[in-house]
RNA sequence: GGGCCGUUAGCUCAGUAGGUAGAGCAUCUGACUUUUAAUCAGGUGGUCACAGGUUCGAUUCCUGUACGGCUCACCA
């Protein structure tokens, strides 16, 4: 990172000059009275005469600077926006003005003075005192185009955020979205909990984990791929409604909607089933969109989408019938295999019927699900933690919901029969003999918990990052994660 | 993993049908006390991602590497 630059050299020289003038370029504190936004609001009626009896103090980064001899304009940017300041030599004094002239775009300063409106109508602080709060040594990106280069934007998110207000808004909306979800669940009697990220046995999903090692215990540990099984232990323990925003880690590919480190929310509600979860899902997301965006009508990649309940609901079998005209129940195993081959599916090993059905669904239906849609009743073979559908041995009470062609979340009537659960584990663990790293690990402690008895429970999980993408109209998951994972830069 | 594309000044980008490069902004010097992409005058700034090859000569053509983007496949 030691890239020599004359621009940086110049700023270091200025830093020394400022010190020579007796100014500390890195003081300890400043006490603003207002944010720039508060000034905009409180002084919206201000006239062209500054009211010296109502001085304000604001602090922020110099984003533009226009010097005019013995006066100058600049824009300060703080967390709430930008505001213009006007610095005049005969207001701040000659010495202070000398220091001000040495300041650069990028420097953080505090100013004190009254508010007025300039000839062109812009609300402006007429500065009586300037204080340098932090000297910037690295020149910021260009003021007009901002920072465009995607690689730099991801690697130096700080520069991206300071230059690109729309990026900042994406992340503010992400946070507000999380707050809206939390608020809704808290009001609905849910308790937010924290469960282990380091897990001795990973479970609750199928994915390859990140592996680490605990020295003192001398044992392997895994970064969680899901927190499902811990939350259900809490249901056994008597927390009837729990949720957790869970940073999960999956050692898989990276693309526009997959990140090795991502955020899910999982929630569990005792005495509920998957239909209750459908209602909760659509109401929760509608509330969230309404809170963050003020509407349930959103636009994503040019598609107009309504989040308002009720959402379309259809079973996986119905969906395949509708979109592909294929009645999977009428097909023999061989015909089903052929149907999968027809859509370019791969049939490694002995694919059970349920997997074939899911393949057909993914190929024919998933790409068409733009409006919010619940797809329910999944094949049992791909759903080891879901309870069998009432009256069926082949399907389970599970749904996933899709919006804008993205798989957003997953829910079940949770399997609470410990004997059935053990069989599902055993079935799933068979994959491990094939060396599959994402095979199910038998979690004996979880089975023990179920043996104590878990009430009937509805569970739901959905991807926070994907929801953030949807609500902020971003096409890549990296654009809703502040510091996306990147390969290291080459050391020069 | 495959395919396509990109990497040129601090930033945003041109460009060289092979003869070592330009603009705008930023920066520096000077002028300027209501500007706002301030203006005016004059300057500085680049191993053209990295390494090989072809060539009298490569930033340009070829090959490889690194990093990134888009996309297809896979996993969520």
């Amino acid at each position: 990172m030691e890239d020599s630059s004359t621009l940086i050299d110049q700023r270091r020289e200025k830093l020394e000059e400022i010190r020579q003038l007796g100014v500390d370029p890195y003081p300890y504190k400043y006490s603003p009275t207002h944010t720039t936004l508060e000034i905009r609001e409180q002084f919206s009626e201000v006239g062209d005469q500054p009211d010296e009896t109502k001085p304000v103090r604001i602090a922020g980064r110099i984003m533009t600077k226009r010097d005019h001899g013995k006066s100058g304009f600049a824009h300060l940017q703080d967390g709430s926006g930008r505001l213009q300041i006007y610095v005049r030599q005969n207001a701040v004094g000659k010495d202070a003005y000398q220091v001000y002239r040495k300041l650069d775009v990028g420097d953080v300063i505090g100013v004190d003075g009254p508010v007025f409106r300039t000839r062109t109508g812009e609300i402006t602080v007429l500065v009586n005192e300037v204080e340098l709060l932090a000297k910037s040594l690295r020149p910021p990106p260009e003021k007009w185009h901002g920072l465009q280069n995607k690689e730099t934007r991801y690697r130096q998110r700080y520069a991206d955020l300071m230059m690109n207000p729309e990026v900042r808004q994406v992340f503010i909306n992400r946070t507000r979205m999380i707050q809206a979800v939390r608020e809704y669940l808290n009001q609905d009697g849910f308790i937010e909990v924290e469960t282990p990220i380091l897990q001795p046995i990973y479970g609750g999903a199928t994915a390859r984990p990140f592996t680490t090692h605990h020295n003192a215990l001398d044992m392997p540990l895994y970064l969680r791929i899901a927190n499902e099984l811990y939350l259900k232990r809490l249901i056994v323990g008597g927390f009837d409604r729990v949720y957790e925003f869970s940073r999960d880690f999956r050692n898989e590919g990276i693309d526009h909607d997959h990140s090795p480190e991502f955020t899910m929310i999982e929630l569990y509600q005792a005495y509920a089933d998957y239909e209750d979860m459908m209602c909760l899902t659509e109401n929760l997301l509608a509330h969230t969109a309404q809170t963050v965006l003020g509407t349930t009508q959103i636009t994503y990649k040019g598609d107009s989408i309504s989040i308002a309940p009720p959402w379309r609901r259809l079973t996986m079998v119905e969906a395949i019938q509708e979109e592909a005209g294929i009645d999977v129940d009428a097909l023999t195993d061989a015909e089903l295999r052929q149907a999968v081959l027809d859509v370019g599916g791969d049939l490694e090993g002995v694919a059970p019927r349920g997997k074939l059905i899911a393949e057909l669904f993914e190929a024919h239906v998933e790409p068409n699900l733009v409006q919010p849609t619940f797809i329910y009743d999944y094949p049992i073979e791909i759903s080891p933690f879901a309870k069998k559908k009432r009256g069926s041995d082949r399907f389970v009470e599970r749904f996933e919901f899709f919006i804008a062609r993205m798989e957003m979340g997953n829910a079940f009537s949770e399997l609470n029969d410990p004997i059935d659960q053990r069989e599902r584990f055993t079935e799933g663990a068979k994959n491990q003999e094939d060396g599959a790293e994402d095979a199910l690990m038998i979690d004996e402690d979880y089975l023990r918990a179920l043996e104590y008895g878990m009430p009937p429970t509805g569970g739901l999980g959905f991807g926070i990052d994907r929801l953030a993408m949807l609500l902020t109209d971003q096409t890549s998951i990296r654009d809703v994660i502040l510091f996306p994972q990147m390969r290291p830069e080459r050391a020069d």
Side-chain angles (χ1 to χ4, degrees), chain A residues 148 293 386:
Chain A
Q148 300 292 331
L293 304 174

Side-chain angles (χ1 to χ4, degrees), chain A residues 70-96:
Chain A
K70 295 186 176 61
S71 76
F73 290 92
H75 276 100
L76 289 198
Q77 174 171 286
D78 67 8
S80 70
R82 288 187 185 189
L83 197 74
Q84 182 169 259
I85 63 170
Y86 182 41
V87 184
R88 288 195 299 190
Q89 178 172 291
N90 58 6
V92 299
K94 199 167 182 181
D95 291 348

Side-chain angles (χ1 to χ4, degrees), chain A residues 49-198:
Chain A
Q49 289 305 310
D51 182 354
E52 295 282 353
T53 65
K54 287 188 205 158
V56 299
R57 289 158 71 85
I58 60 170
R61 187 185 301 280
I62 301 173
M63 299 305 289
T64 63
K65 196 163 181 272
R66 298 176 293 283
D67 290 333
H68 294 260
K70 295 186 176 61
S71 76
F73 290 92
H75 276 100
L76 289 198
Q77 174 171 286
D78 67 8
S80 70
R82 288 187 185 189
L83 197 74
Q84 182 169 259
I85 63 170
Y86 182 41
V87 184
R88 288 195 299 190
Q89 178 172 291
N90 58 6
V92 299
K94 199 167 182 181
D95 291 348
Y97 197 73
Q98 284 311 107
V99 175
Y100 175 75
R101 286 302 291 254
K102 292 193 186 302
L103 299 183
D104 291 304
V105 171
D107 289 353
V108 179
I109 65 172
V111 299
D112 187 320
V115 181
F116 76 112
R117 195 179 288 274
T118 63
R119 190 187 287 162
T120 54
E122 182 161 350
I123 296 173
T124 301
V125 174
L126 179 60
V127 176
N128 286 328
E129 283 178 41
V130 192
E131 191 172 333
L132 175 59
L133 302 179
K135 180 69 192 147
S136 160
L137 295 182
R138 191 172 287 270
E142 201 244 354
K143 64 184 173 189
W144 190 242
H145 299 92
L147 180 61
Q148 300 292 331
N149 184 281
K150 278 208 166 189
E151 180 172 356
T152 310
R153 288 183 41 216
Y154 294 148
R155 289 192 193 281
Q156 303 182 30
R157 186 67 88 182
Y158 35 88
D160 189 23
L161 288 168
M162 79 174 73
M163 294 311 299
N164 299 320
E166 69 284 2
V167 171
R168 167 190 194 81
Q169 194 57 47
V170 166
F171 288 103
I172 289 173
N173 280 347
R174 179 187 167 118
T175 295
R176 293 175 57 213
M177 180 191 93
I178 290 170
Q179 282 170 349
V181 170
R182 179 174 277 133
E183 204 175 79
Y184 182 98
L185 292 174
N186 288 348
Q187 279 187 359
D188 207 17
F190 282 83
I191 293 172
E192 185 170 8
V193 296
E194 294 178 285
T195 67
I197 294 171
L198 289 174

Side-chain angles (χ1 to χ4, degrees), chain A residues 96 166 251 344 357 367 399 401 475:
Chain A
E166 69 284 2
N251 208 337
I357 292 170
F399 70 81
F401 65 101
T475 57

Side-chain angles (χ1 to χ4, degrees), chain A residues 249-302:
Chain A
F249 306 86
R250 299 188 186 175
N251 208 337
E252 308 277 3
I254 297 176
D255 65 25
H256 65 96
D257 60 2
H258 293 88
S259 168
E261 177 178 350
F262 65 106
T263 306
M264 292 253 290
I265 181 171
E266 293 201 28
L267 63 91
Y268 293 85
Q269 177 178 343
Y271 313 112
D273 68 3
Y274 75 149
E275 286 193 37
D276 295 314
M277 291 299 107
M278 288 189 212
C279 294
L280 192 156
T281 300
E282 54 192 12
N283 288 328
L284 172 57
L285 263 62
H287 165 84
T288 302
Q290 186 68 43
T291 304
V292 176
L293 304 174
T295 176
T296 53
Q297 305 300 310
I298 64 172
T299 300
Y300 186 73
K301 288 191 197 177

Side-chain angles (χ1 to χ4, degrees), chain A residues 18-30:
Chain A
I18 287 168
R19 280 208 169 101
Q20 293 302 316
L21 291 169
V23 172
D24 178 1
Y26 298 104
Y28 292 85
K29 122 174 215 146
Y30 193 77

